[in-house]
Amino acid sequence: MRGRPRWENFTRLSQCIGTEIRIFDPLEDMFDPLIKCSIDGSFVRLGQRSAENVRKGSEPVPTADVGVSAEFKTNKNDKNIYDNSIKVVGASSHILNDDVRRMFTYGITIEDDEMTLWYFSRSHSVKSASFNYIEDLESFTAISLSFMFSSDKEMGYDPCVIRSKDGSNYIYHLEDQSGKKRYFQTHSLIAEYRSLCVTGRMTRVWEAIELDQEQTGEMGKPVVLKDLWLDGAAQTEKQIQNEIFRDIRSFPVSTLDSLEDLSNEMRAHLRKALANDRYKEYFLHIICDYRGETTKPLAPTASPKLGLFNAPVSTSAPSTTRSLSNPTRDPRQFVQRRQYRLVYNEVCETLHDLKSLKAIKTLQLLYCAGWVHRDISSGNILAHTVEGTIRGKLADLEYARKFASNSGNSDPKMGTPFFMPLEIQTQQYFSQPTRQRARTTATSTLTMERKATTSIRPPVRFNFQHDLESLWWVLLWAITEGPNHVPSRQFADTIFQNRLDASPRRKKVVTDVNYLLEAACFHPTVEGYGNSLSQCMIELYDFYNDREQAQLLEDVPSYAKAHFKMYELVWLWKTTLDGNEDVAVQLLLKRGPDIDNPSNLPQRMKPGRPTDDSNQPVQDDGGAPSRGLDWRPKRPRRSSGPSEDDGDYQPGGSDESDASQGNRRPKRPRRSFGFR
């Protein structure tokens, strides 16, 4: 044979006739001699299924069993390359989402005689340069052998998570701070925050129970296990909680007397909670936290490729047709991620099952400690019942940080869009506090200098009232979406949407004193409480404007009156429910989001995701303030600032539009190699 060796079974694939399955059959012939080798433990077929049954479709392959996803096309053109790329990304997204064990996964795309390798993880994805696998036998053989003789861990399977044979549960192998190995078996999934993006946190929350060292018997009562991917440099929730406890302990209780806007009852409750470490009762007890594997570092030879997933432009389309993607945007920055798993001692109930909101006390304690939560939602407001006594708790502290409104850039949009504060969602203050900067222009030596001023817009930083506003949105969502009342649910559908921007109607709820009462159509049993919600927002909005116009954003005591107002509203919530046993009111607490309507299902946004969805991570300063909090009331400094104008919006108009970011649903894997 002269020249470079090539595969005997293949000619130019674009000249072959038949289905893709038949044309690519020789690939299986290449793998079979290796798969059938007798080395112990080398290969395991997908659940011992035969390749023939998988090929015929009589026995579908579960996503969790797919070792490497692959897409084939006999012809190489822009359309086929784009189609293969989209499908392999979608398949890999499903694999990482469906299989708890996966730390990363690989993919292969083939167009004619060109092969490309893909790598997907929670931190980044990589695409190799294409090569001719028919002529380049050396590269093809090296890749094939690398896949076939790799260990489970090298293929992306986490050795610390074992799946049961029927796939119904998992056993997590963790190690606590003392070095002791502990085992937790999952029973049911409490929450799962999926994303259409491959990268991200992929948070899962399980109800689990601890097993003995032999992993054969259960120990103790049920617990909650949380599994997610953290940014490599981010603090863990345990570290954040320890810092909060430290700051609560250092809070001078005598300061409460100087906060004139608090009621005597609030002061008494806070003194009681601050005494003898009782504040810990309002936080979840973390009994084990474990930092696991870190994603692979970015290869030094890797470079960003813009427009990789731009749809090909049809030649018959007008010349003005452009791709929806923005090829000029900056490439995203690489952020390495690591596994983080923690176990809570308490299995709590969420807002939908409660008749009180005692988690308001946790917010008050965070206020005393000088921390903001930044992710208040219906799923984070919990209660734990101990001997008939309900204790309110606030979950998910991983986004919490020290209050420092004057440092760094604006806070990114994070948390649950349903309950996001409007200033954070719009990235601008209501009263637009500005600093004036003089600019001098000399017109001539004979005339006086003319001075002009330019306004500098300050960064929008998360403050204490933003947390309270999120709690207000939770209450509004509960009394409009909860009851079996069509008018109020229709109103809720226009206000609570999973979108990055704030709809005009959502803005009106905050800025228009009459809009909520005119448009909400509350159920008769909660109409009185709806009026109280409306009045509360009017006052909260005034608090925002007064503080911003007086340039008191950093004045900690100025937020006390907002805390007292929300304390009254929460107390009224409890009174309303205790005195009304109507079935519609009970639905407020038991129904939860409407799973038949995806727009009513609160979903998390990834923290740090920018407004243009460009996958650019926003750098965080870690929450460390430049100085300690000043609890002394500051003298107001009045300054004028323009108010936000929402335009001439009329209630009832059809101004709403669906958010289009990330609505493409990835397809499930179509093929898989049978060697894993």
Side-chain angles (χ1 to χ4, degrees):
M1 180 171 57
R2 296 179 180 179
R4 297 185 61 184
R6 47 184 295 137
W7 294 110
E8 180 181 304
N9 301 74
F10 281 113
T11 57
R12 186 163 182 80
L13 299 183
S14 59
Q15 301 174 357
C16 297
I17 300 175
T19 63
E20 292 175 354
I21 293 294
R22 188 189 68 79
I23 292 174
F24 286 99
D25 263 349
L27 281 178
E28 184 180 354
D29 297 334
M30 299 176 195
F31 284 115
D32 270 349
L34 296 171
I35 293 176
K36 294 174 181 177
C37 68
S38 59
I39 302 176
D40 291 339
S42 295
F43 305 103
V44 179
R45 286 185 177 271
L46 300 176
Q48 303 301 327
R49 298 174 175 86
S50 69
E52 186 67 26
N53 287 340
V54 172
R55 187 191 302 111
K56 291 180 178 179
S58 60
E59 196 171 349
V61 181
T63 306
D65 286 338
V66 177
V68 177
S69 56
E71 290 292 336
F72 309 117
K73 291 290 189 298
T74 55
N75 291 287
K76 181 182 179 181
N77 53 52
D78 290 343
K79 179 179 180 300
N80 285 343
I81 293 174
Y82 170 77
D83 187 64
N84 271 357
S85 300
I86 291 296
K87 287 179 179 177
V88 78
V89 171
S92 299
S93 178
H94 274 292
I95 290 171
L96 291 173
N97 286 337
D98 291 347
D99 192 354
V100 177
R101 303 168 297 170
R102 297 302 182 93
M103 301 181 291
F104 55 86
T105 188
Y106 293 99
I108 295 176
T109 54
I110 294 177
E111 299 89 19
D112 194 2
D113 54 4
E114 294 288 320
M115 174 180 284
T116 305
L117 302 181
W118 301 72
Y119 165 83
F120 302 96
S121 73
R122 292 302 180 189
S123 63
H124 68 291
S125 300
V126 177
K127 171 183 177 291
S128 75
S130 301
F131 70 97
N132 190 315
Y133 71 96
I134 295 179
E135 296 182 355
D136 191 352
L137 273 65
E138 182 178 351
S139 296
F140 181 84
T141 303
I143 292 169
S144 302
L145 292 176
S146 296
F147 277 142
M148 293 177 182
F149 288 96
S150 62
S151 65
D152 286 350
K153 185 176 180 179
E154 290 170 334
M155 288 298 295
Y157 290 85
D158 189 347
C160 294
V161 182
I162 308 300
R163 188 180 63 160
S164 63
K165 292 182 178 180
D166 60 1
S168 60
N169 56 59
Y170 299 86
I171 297 178
Y172 281 80
H173 296 196
L174 307 182
E175 188 174 299
D176 61 20
Q177 294 180 338
S178 65
K180 177 184 176 182
K181 293 186 180 297
R182 304 178 70 171
Y183 307 95
F184 296 89
Q185 179 173 302
T186 63
H187 279 188
S188 60
L189 187 64
I190 297 175
E192 184 177 36
Y193 302 105
R194 291 191 170 215
S195 172
L196 296 183
C197 299
V198 174
T199 58
R201 291 180 173 237
M202 191 53 210
T203 304
R204 296 181 178 93
V205 183
W206 302 91
E207 182 175 333
I209 194 162
E210 188 167 5
L211 303 179
D212 56 28
Q213 292 297 310
E214 289 74 28
Q215 305 177 45
T216 56
E218 297 181 351
M219 298 170 53
K221 61 183 182 64
V223 294
V224 173
L225 188 151
K226 186 175 180 180
D227 182 5
L228 70 154
W229 288 86
L230 280 178
D231 288 356
Q235 285 185 300
T236 66
E237 186 165 343
K238 178 67 173 176
Q239 291 172 330
I240 293 173
Q241 188 184 79
N242 288 339
E243 289 192 15
I244 292 174
F245 287 171
R246 180 199 63 199
D247 290 338
I248 291 178
R249 286 193 298 269
S250 64
F251 172 75
V253 180
S254 59
T255 305
L256 295 174
D257 296 328
S258 65
L259 300 178
E260 299 177 355
D261 294 308
L262 298 184
S263 66
N264 291 332
E265 185 181 9
M266 283 187 65
R267 292 192 187 95
H269 282 306
L270 283 172
R271 286 193 181 94
K272 185 177 180 181
L274 291 168
N276 302 320
D277 288 351
R278 291 196 61 183
Y279 59 84
K280 294 183 179 179
E281 297 177 0
Y282 298 94
F283 295 87
L284 293 174
H285 180 205
I286 300 174
I287 61 176
C288 179
D289 78 322
Y290 170 76
R291 281 167 281 190
E293 297 287 337
T294 302
T295 56
K296 294 177 182 293
L298 192 65
T301 57
S303 60
K305 182 176 178 59
L306 300 179
L308 181 62
F309 297 103
N310 287 356
V313 179
S314 173
T315 56
S316 61
S319 58
T320 56
T321 301
R322 295 184 299 175
S323 169
L324 294 178
S325 300
N326 181 11
T328 62
R329 71 185 184 189
D330 295 332
R332 66 181 292 268
Q333 298 177 7
F334 168 71
V335 179
Q336 203 166 4
R337 293 183 182 271
R338 62 177 175 179
Q339 293 172 328
Y340 180 57
R341 288 152 185 170
L342 65 164
V343 181
Y344 301 113
N345 188 52
E346 307 94 342
V347 178
C348 299
E349 299 171 289
T350 60
L351 170 69
H352 316 304
D353 302 313
L354 301 180
K355 288 190 177 182
S356 67
L357 283 174
K358 291 187 177 182
I360 185 68
K361 293 184 180 179
T362 312
L363 277 181
Q364 294 168 0
L365 290 168
L366 288 175
Y367 174 55
C368 291
W371 284 72
V372 287
H373 187 278
R374 303 200 300 171
D375 187 25
I376 302 298
S377 70
S378 61
N380 291 340
I381 300 173
L382 309 175
H384 184 227
T385 304
V386 179
E387 298 179 354
T389 301
I390 297 178
R391 293 176 181 171
K393 296 179 183 289
L394 203 56
D396 293 344
L397 297 176
E398 63 259 35
Y399 306 144
R401 74 167 186 197
K402 290 280 285 185
F403 168 64
S405 64
N406 65 333
S407 61
N409 299 320
S410 294
D411 276 338
K413 301 179 182 182
M414 62 171 57
T416 309
F418 275 34
F419 315 118
M420 190 179 299
L422 190 57
E423 287 186 335
I424 299 298
Q425 202 166 18
T426 60
Q427 293 289 283
Q428 60 183 11
Y429 289 112
F430 293 124
S431 290
Q432 291 299 332
T434 57
R435 300 188 300 273
Q436 301 299 320
R437 179 175 61 189
R439 184 178 70 246
T440 303
T441 305
T443 56
S444 72
T445 58
L446 301 178
T447 60
M448 297 181 61
E449 292 183 337
R450 182 171 64 248
K451 292 184 178 181
T453 59
T454 57
S455 297
I456 306 173
R457 179 179 295 179
V460 179
R461 304 291 287 175
F462 213 103
N463 60 48
F464 301 108
Q465 188 167 328
H466 289 146
D467 276 340
L468 298 173
E469 183 190 333
S470 292
L471 180 59
W472 185 91
W473 286 112
V474 170
L475 290 169
L476 179 63
W477 172 76
I479 69 169
T480 55
E481 178 61 32
N484 187 14
H485 185 57
V486 174
S488 68
R489 288 187 181 179
Q490 290 176 338
F491 168 78
D493 291 344
T494 66
I495 301 300
F496 299 103
Q497 301 174 344
N498 288 314
R499 50 190 289 176
L500 291 170
D501 59 330
S503 69
R505 295 188 184 186
R506 187 177 178 90
K507 294 179 182 179
K508 287 286 186 181
V509 169
V510 176
T511 60
D512 189 329
V513 296
N514 298 316
Y515 180 74
L516 182 58
L517 293 179
E518 293 174 353
C521 303
F522 296 114
H523 189 281
T525 58
V526 293
E527 187 172 2
Y529 191 76
N531 294 338
S532 299
L533 269 176
S534 178
Q535 181 61 37
C536 179
M537 178 49 70
I538 292 173
E539 297 190 50
L540 291 178
Y541 183 61
D542 288 342
F543 295 160
Y544 276 127
N545 283 282
D546 292 344
R547 186 184 306 109
E548 292 160 8
Q549 291 175 9
Q551 298 185 18
L552 294 176
L553 289 172
E554 299 175 51
D555 182 32
V556 180
S558 69
Y559 296 92
K561 61 174 64 176
H563 262 282
F564 175 64
K565 179 53 60 179
M566 285 303 299
Y567 177 81
E568 287 185 321
L569 193 66
V570 169
W571 177 84
L572 184 60
W573 165 271
K574 182 178 184 302
T575 303
T576 300
L577 298 181
D578 286 345
N580 195 332
E581 296 299 326
D582 189 276
V583 175
V585 176
Q586 297 307 309
L587 285 175
L588 298 176
L589 310 173
K590 298 183 182 299
R591 178 176 175 271
D594 185 355
I595 60 175
D596 294 328
N597 187 350
S599 67
N600 287 336
L601 183 60
Q603 296 177 359
R604 290 175 182 267
M605 286 166 42
K606 289 184 174 61
R609 187 70 63 197
T611 56
D612 64 354
D613 197 32
S614 62
N615 291 331
Q616 294 265 22
V618 178
Q619 299 298 321
D620 200 333
D621 58 9
S626 57
R627 55 181 172 80
L629 294 178
D630 186 1
W631 283 92
R632 296 171 298 175
K634 297 182 180 180
R635 179 177 298 176
R637 292 178 297 166
R638 293 289 177 183
S639 66
S640 59
S643 300
E644 179 183 11
D645 185 5
D646 287 323
D648 299 327
Y649 172 74
Q650 299 295 328
S654 57
D655 64 293
E656 306 300 332
S657 62
D658 294 332
S660 59
Q661 295 100 329
N663 285 338
R664 183 185 180 102
R665 189 169 185 82
K667 297 182 180 180
R668 290 188 175 274
R670 185 158 56 98
R671 294 187 181 87
S672 62
F673 290 134
F675 53 82
R676 173 56 65 209

